[in-house]
Amino acid sequence: MALLEVEDLKTYYFTLRGPVRAVDGVTLQLERGEVLGIAGESGCGKSTLAWSILGMVPPPGRIVSGRLVVDGIDITKLSEEELRAKIRWKKVSMIFQGAMNSLNPVYTAGAQIEEVLTYHARMSKLEARKRVYELLESVGLDRSIANRYPHELSGGQKQRVVIAMALALEPDIVIADEPTTALDVVVQAQILNLMKRLQREKGISIILITHDLAVIAEMADRVAIMYAGKIVEYGGSEQIFYKPRHPYTYLLMKAVPKLRGPKESLIYIPGQPPDLINPPRGCRFAPRCPYAMEICKEDPPEFTPEKGHMSACWLERTPEKIKYS
């Protein structure tokens, strides 16, 4: 059994204009010790998927249907009290997007990590402080950081504090939502190397959510490409990057400049993501897809039956599949 199984998950935000289908029928798995990268444009549902796995979808959103099984426990059937006691921080924790805004400015870094330990692990103040020092040192920070307030820390130090907090109770799964946002390239490299080391040493599974395809290529074992609330392609990292099978994945790759090789004109994806209150009837990418056929506009495609590398695209069912290069 996979450590995490997401089956036909639907999470909607209910507004006066109608439900926003932020996550609409997502299915994926996460194995023990694996890094799963989730990529896509802003507004495609990546962060909502992360909040759903934690059971913390902000209002007016809620999980409408589907299953979320974490280590054999279907969290959609748990109460808020059971989620706090059994799942959050212990089974699943999260490195929140934008460490600069996720730390409380009126508490020291050490006090914020201590709160996790005293509330969830029932540690004494002395035990919690000792554990805080161990956690800070494990992420490459001096123990003196425990007595500093967030405004006294650099961006990289804040991000490391948030990572230490996420690892406090040694969870099985860590969700990293844009962990390198607003950091310069040197600090980005330090944070990614830190995450790789911790993943290797502690055997944790990581869900890495980012816009940066280079980060996905560096870290992920498997990749899920999201568009308009759905997974459109899912497979191994090398398969996704070297042999994309969905037009959206291909166009995302072509929009990234290359450091080596012949110079090529960058390709951009025209238009914008659809309104998720009234999404297109067929494939949600069809209005922007240069390869769209009539069937794409009428019927939503299903995943191809192959295991390992799947794509939800009608082009996969045509006699001559398009060869992206």
Side-chain angles (χ1 to χ4, degrees):
M1 180 182 294
L3 179 58
L4 169 68
E5 294 181 349
V6 181
E7 298 179 8
D8 197 25
L9 179 68
K10 296 183 180 181
T11 302
Y12 296 169
Y13 293 96
F14 291 87
T15 70
L16 294 176
R17 291 180 54 221
V20 178
R21 298 166 175 83
V23 174
D24 198 15
V26 166
T27 297
L28 53 81
Q29 291 185 339
L30 178 70
E31 303 294 337
R32 293 185 184 276
E34 182 181 54
V35 179
L36 172 65
I38 301 178
E41 291 173 284
S42 295
C44 69
K46 305 185 299 296
S47 293
T48 297
L49 175 59
W51 287 111
S52 299
I53 295 171
L54 273 175
M56 292 178 62
V57 182
R62 68 171 183 268
I63 296 174
V64 175
S65 64
R67 297 178 71 237
L68 273 166
V69 182
V70 177
D71 200 15
I73 303 171
D74 187 350
I75 69 170
T76 61
K77 301 184 183 302
L78 300 181
S79 65
E80 178 65 21
E81 291 73 21
E82 289 173 320
L83 283 168
R84 288 180 179 177
K86 298 178 180 179
I87 302 299
R88 293 177 195 147
W89 298 103
K90 294 180 179 179
K91 293 284 186 183
V92 185
S93 65
M94 189 165 176
I95 301 169
F96 296 97
Q97 185 173 355
M100 286 69 167
N101 301 319
S102 60
L103 293 173
N104 192 320
V106 300
Y107 291 100
T108 62
Q112 295 184 60
I113 303 174
E114 280 180 13
E115 184 178 15
V116 177
L117 298 167
T118 55
Y119 182 84
H120 290 276
R122 305 298 181 188
M123 288 186 180
S124 67
K125 197 77 173 176
L126 186 62
E127 291 173 326
R129 178 55 58 153
K130 182 180 178 181
R131 176 64 175 152
V132 166
Y133 292 151
E134 293 173 355
L135 287 165
L136 290 175
E137 290 172 353
S138 74
V139 297
L141 293 175
D142 188 86
R143 59 174 56 191
S144 64
I145 295 292
N147 299 318
R148 296 188 191 177
Y149 290 88
H151 72 272
E152 298 177 290
L153 306 178
S154 68
Q157 288 173 326
K158 290 178 187 178
Q159 194 66 289
R160 289 170 187 261
V161 169
V162 172
I163 293 172
M165 191 183 302
L167 297 173
L169 300 183
E170 299 185 347
D172 298 314
I173 301 170
V174 173
I175 302 172
D177 190 1
E178 300 283 1
T180 57
T181 297
L183 302 176
D184 64 63
V185 291
V186 174
V187 179
Q188 281 187 28
Q190 293 173 353
I191 295 299
L192 293 177
N193 288 334
L194 170 63
M195 291 177 62
K196 284 193 289 186
R197 177 176 64 80
L198 293 171
Q199 188 263 341
R200 183 175 62 251
E201 293 176 355
K202 299 181 180 296
I204 58 177
S205 300
I206 296 176
I207 298 176
L208 178 62
I209 297 172
T210 181
H211 295 92
D212 194 334
L213 295 175
V215 172
I216 293 280
E218 175 76 14
M219 293 283 296
D221 300 305
R222 282 195 294 171
V223 180
I225 303 295
M226 282 194 76
Y227 182 78
K230 291 182 175 290
I231 302 290
V232 297
E233 188 164 359
Y234 184 55
S237 181
E238 290 190 2
Q239 294 172 320
I240 295 290
F241 280 92
Y242 290 109
K243 295 182 179 179
R245 291 170 55 181
H246 194 283
Y248 180 61
T249 308
Y250 169 70
L251 293 172
L252 283 180
M253 305 295 179
K254 296 295 286 184
V256 178
K258 295 180 180 178
L259 293 177
R260 300 178 180 87
K263 293 182 179 180
E264 299 177 355
S265 297
L266 292 180
I267 293 176
Y268 73 98
I269 305 176
Q272 59 186 8
D275 178 7
L276 293 182
I277 295 178
N278 296 298
R281 180 167 57 181
C283 173
R284 294 186 177 181
F285 187 58
R288 306 172 68 190
C289 181
Y291 308 102
M293 305 176 291
E294 283 302 315
I295 192 172
C296 301
K297 301 173 184 178
E298 299 297 327
D299 297 322
E302 300 293 332
F303 269 119
T304 49
E306 293 91 339
K307 292 183 178 179
H309 187 189
M310 299 181 291
S311 170
C313 181
W314 284 114
L315 292 169
E316 288 292 303
R317 293 167 172 79
T318 57
E320 295 184 2
K321 299 178 182 178
I322 291 178
K323 301 297 182 183
Y324 304 112
S325 59

